[in-house]
Amino acid sequence: VVTSDVSEVVDQVMPSIVSITSMSVEEVRSFFGGTYEQQSKGAGTGIIIGKTDTELLIVTNNHVVAGSDTLTVAFTDESTVEANIKGTDAQYDVAVIAVPIENISDDTLDAISVATLGDSTSLKVGEPAIAIGNALGYGQSVTTGIVSALNRTVTTQDSQTGETVTNNKLIQTDAAINPGNSGGALLNENGEVIG
């Protein structure tokens, strides 16, 4: 049964979603032939997928963190900390970033949670889908829809190398996804991360 009220799922999952702000400095050539440094800011989303004794692990998209000089993570209680890139895979557009536990306040540690991962191989076309992400860089927002199709193939261009990249077995949804949602959670009706 499809329900329009997903507030219980959102309450359950929101503590495991973070906003990510990336800052980078680029050298730009001026009209007069000189160069100057220009700071650029990007926005994305991450999902808390693990917690060890020393760090919090967050998964996001590689293009959210690629080329960044600094990464700032904002938690559900709006506190912010710097994060480090732990590992990336440009081909699959995935990255893991880490925040040292010692840099997170006890109040924030009490407010956040680790996401529950679902089984995307058991999805059916037509079942409900919920997207949570830092849409347009304004902070977390929620959209709903359905799983529109499975195993889609999408071809994109790697922004770093210019190479053509083909991603297979993607989930198509009609839940609204905007710039800034990158790295965010696509959830099933049980609040499990499916994409």
Side-chain angles (χ1 to χ4, degrees):
V1 177
V2 177
T3 175
S4 59
D5 184 357
V6 295
S7 59
E8 285 185 22
V9 171
V10 171
D11 286 344
Q12 168 194 330
V13 177
M14 194 66 83
S16 65
I17 308 297
V18 301
S19 298
I20 300 172
T21 303
S22 63
M23 300 294 285
S24 60
V25 177
E26 300 175 277
E27 195 167 280
V28 180
R29 185 170 300 281
S30 73
F31 178 75
F32 301 104
T35 59
Y36 63 96
E37 287 188 343
Q38 178 178 316
Q39 197 170 50
S40 63
K41 181 178 178 180
T45 309
I47 307 166
I48 301 172
I49 58 163
K51 180 182 169 195
T52 70
D53 291 339
T54 58
E55 60 190 1
L56 202 63
L57 300 172
I58 299 164
V59 69
T60 186
N61 283 128
N62 181 63
H63 73 263
V64 170
V65 302
S68 64
D69 293 314
T70 60
L71 292 172
T72 305
V73 169
F75 296 106
T76 188
D77 65 355
E78 298 183 11
S79 66
T80 60
V81 293
E82 280 201 18
N84 303 306
I85 297 175
K86 190 98 173 154
T88 63
D89 187 326
Q91 181 179 352
Y92 291 100
D93 194 21
V94 69
V96 174
I97 62 175
V99 176
I101 291 288
E102 64 188 21
N103 295 351
I104 306 172
S105 75
D106 288 343
D107 287 345
T108 298
L109 284 171
D110 289 342
I112 62 178
S113 64
V114 175
T116 302
L117 301 182
D119 181 3
S120 60
T121 63
S122 65
L123 289 176
K124 293 182 179 158
V125 172
E127 74 176 89
I130 304 161
I132 302 179
N134 182 17
L136 306 175
Y138 291 127
Q140 305 304 8
S141 63
V142 178
T143 60
T144 62
I146 61 168
V147 173
S148 303
L150 298 169
N151 300 318
R152 289 292 196 215
T153 300
V154 175
T155 302
T156 57
Q157 193 171 25
D158 186 305
S159 60
Q160 305 292 310
T161 65
E163 292 180 27
T164 300
V165 178
T166 301
N167 292 306
N168 297 304
K169 298 187 178 179
L170 300 177
I171 302 165
Q172 180 183 341
T173 181
D174 67 344
I177 307 291
N178 292 288
N181 270 95
S182 292
L186 185 67
L187 309 160
N188 63 20
E189 62 189 338
N190 300 318
E192 298 167 331
V193 177
I194 52 170

